[in-house]
Amino acid sequence: MKLLTLARDLKRRKAREKHSLFVAEGVRAVEELLRAGLTLRGVIVAPQLVDAPRGAALRSAMAAVSVEVLEVSEKDFRSAAETESPQGVLAIGEIPPFSLQSLAPVLTTRLLLLDAVQDPGNVGTILRTAAALGASATVALPGTVDLWNPKVIRSSMGAQFRHPSFHATTEEALSFLRDAGVELWGAEAGGEPLKSRDAPPKLAVVVGNEGAGLSAPVRSAATRLVSLPISAGVESLNVAVAAGIILYELR
């Protein structure tokens, strides 16, 4: 499949899952992708790249890794781009083969589970925060937005290029936690105040859907429901903010 046609097709989640490929768009995202060392299928560039900050340096970096570069018109580039003001560069990369089976829980394990978290901006922010705060991996349960959605990649600044991030069924994830001896805590507004000193060495924390909260199977599997004390009159925190505070406390 030609690069431009492939890039257009990868706008769809089904195509990304079928080919195990994703698109990273913009100078910053492609820079991060090159630094991460993931396998690239190719890069598509448009004339406006030369006017973008660091555009010339990026062209040199692409030449150094001998990746296929397709030059297209601005009109054709826009047919594959997701952003309103594209910078003239997008790369097609192979989704890294992270999975529950690739994880090897060690003495101290901190996993983050996303239970039907749907907003791409929130999920991207969570991935970036999880990588920064040393989470072992982030596992997306059913109902969560595709971790390789272009909007998620932009919000995460490409954190999932290095930070183990992948999808799993609820049954797979809960079975893995049981077999690996990893305790599960659920984040919920009505839970007991989070106390990091109570955290076991092997711990997974799950945050839920922005509106509905934790799903019934996940909630029932949690050994403890925890919350962050907030001021009276404030109903809740944004899920990405809450996940970040929890990860910081448990670091």
Side-chain angles (χ1 to χ4, degrees):
M1 188 180 293
K2 294 182 179 179
L3 277 182
L4 185 59
T5 302
L6 180 59
R8 291 168 178 157
D9 194 37
L10 292 174
K11 288 184 175 183
R12 301 182 301 115
R13 179 171 185 167
K14 287 185 177 180
R16 294 192 293 271
E17 292 173 344
K18 175 183 177 181
H19 299 293
S20 293
L21 298 173
F22 68 93
V23 171
E25 183 184 338
V27 173
R28 176 67 180 272
V30 177
E31 285 176 341
E32 290 298 322
L33 184 53
L34 290 175
R35 279 195 283 266
L38 297 186
T39 301
L40 300 184
R41 289 292 183 88
V43 179
I44 300 174
V45 300
Q48 63 263 42
L49 177 61
V50 297
D51 298 322
R54 308 191 304 276
L58 180 57
R59 287 301 302 263
S60 299
M62 289 188 290
V65 296
S66 301
V67 63
E68 178 186 354
V69 178
L70 175 65
E71 304 268 0
V72 300
S73 67
E74 181 176 352
K75 179 181 178 181
D76 282 340
F77 187 88
R78 285 184 176 275
S79 71
E82 289 274 357
T83 57
E84 293 184 5
S85 301
Q87 295 179 316
V89 61
L90 63 81
I92 298 174
E94 294 185 6
I95 295 175
F98 296 123
S99 67
L100 289 167
Q101 290 69 37
S102 68
L103 294 182
V106 292
L107 183 60
T108 300
T109 300
R110 290 289 182 265
L111 300 177
L112 179 64
L113 275 58
L114 310 181
D115 187 15
V117 182
Q118 298 173 336
D119 182 79
N122 281 337
V123 171
T125 300
I126 289 171
L127 291 174
R128 186 179 180 188
T129 304
L133 296 179
S136 306
T138 299
V139 184
L141 303 182
T144 298
V145 66
D146 180 18
L147 301 182
W148 299 94
N149 179 306
K151 293 180 180 178
V152 175
I153 292 175
R154 288 198 298 275
S155 296
S156 72
M157 296 292 187
Q160 61 270 64
F161 300 161
R162 296 184 177 87
H163 173 65
S165 314
F166 51 87
H167 292 263
T169 68
T170 301
E171 294 76 12
E172 289 170 341
L174 296 181
S175 177
F176 171 83
L177 297 180
R178 286 193 299 268
D179 293 344
V182 179
E183 189 171 338
L184 177 64
W185 287 5
E188 189 170 81
E192 61 185 275
L194 175 68
K195 296 179 181 178
S196 58
R197 64 176 180 271
D198 295 338
K202 294 183 179 181
L203 176 64
V205 175
V206 57
V207 295
N209 178 273
E210 291 91 334
L214 299 175
S215 62
V218 170
R219 191 179 190 280
S220 63
T223 58
R224 181 176 294 188
L225 298 176
V226 298
S227 66
L228 297 171
I230 56 178
S231 299
V234 179
E235 181 181 354
S236 63
L237 289 171
N238 170 276
V239 65
V241 172
I245 296 172
I246 292 171
L247 288 174
Y248 181 83
E249 286 293 314
L250 297 174
R251 190 177 186 184

